[in-house]
């Protein structure tokens, strides 16, 4: 004997537009908002609303623009001890000796 189960309810893996997410976040976290009630009405788990809020509030990831100050041919000397890295093509990078090690390592990795 075989049987089948029919699961009713919202489709899993629904797609939410940015406008829909913003509206739900405003309902949940706005003045007089209630996360549990908003999640129940939208038929989503409360953790999804918190995840969307974290993603909205998180700073954008990416590269910061580099700004060249002074002449490219002659870098201005840094005050105090510095590490000078010369790259192929004659490009020089000066790093203050007291710069954090993780910042120097990330910079050098990026220039590889």
């Amino acid at each position: 004997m075989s049987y089948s189960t029919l699961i009713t309810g919202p489709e899993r893996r629904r797609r939410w537009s940015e406008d829909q997410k913003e509206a739900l976040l405003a309902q949940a976290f706005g003045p007089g908002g209630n996360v549990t009630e908003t999640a129940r009405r939208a038929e989503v788990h409360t953790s999804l609303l918190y995840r969307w809020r974290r993603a909205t509030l998180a700073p954008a990831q990416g590269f910061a623009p580099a700004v060249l100050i002074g002449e490219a041919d002659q870098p201005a000397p840094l005050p105090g001890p510095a590490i000078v890295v010369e790259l192929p093509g004659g490009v020089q990078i000066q790093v203050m000796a007291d710069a954090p090690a993780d910042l120097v390592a990330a910079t050098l990795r990026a220039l590889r």
Side-chain angles (χ1 to χ4, degrees):
M1 178 171 204
S2 65
Y3 63 92
S4 299
T5 303
L6 177 62
I7 300 174
T8 61
E11 176 188 342
R12 302 298 170 224
R13 299 271 184 194
R14 290 180 285 177
R15 305 285 186 227
W16 297 90
S17 71
E18 292 301 317
D19 292 336
Q20 291 172 320
K21 290 178 185 180
E22 288 175 11
L24 288 173
L25 289 175
Q27 290 174 17
F29 299 104
N34 186 319
V35 175
T36 305
E37 285 300 315
T38 302
R40 188 174 296 130
R41 278 191 305 250
E43 297 179 338
V44 297
H45 198 275
T46 56
S47 66
L48 184 60
L49 294 175
Y50 285 107
R51 182 182 307 153
W52 288 347
R53 183 178 70 164
R54 263 193 321 274
T56 301
L57 298 176
Q61 300 292 324
F63 292 102
V67 178
L68 179 63
I69 300 173
E71 291 294 321
D73 296 336
Q74 292 295 331
L78 294 176
I83 301 167
V84 178
V85 179
E86 188 165 338
L87 299 173
V91 175
Q92 287 187 352
I93 297 172
Q94 297 180 4
V95 180
M96 292 294 296
D98 60 350
D102 56 340
L103 177 62
V104 175
T107 302
L108 294 176
R109 268 196 305 273
L111 294 171
R112 262 200 262 177

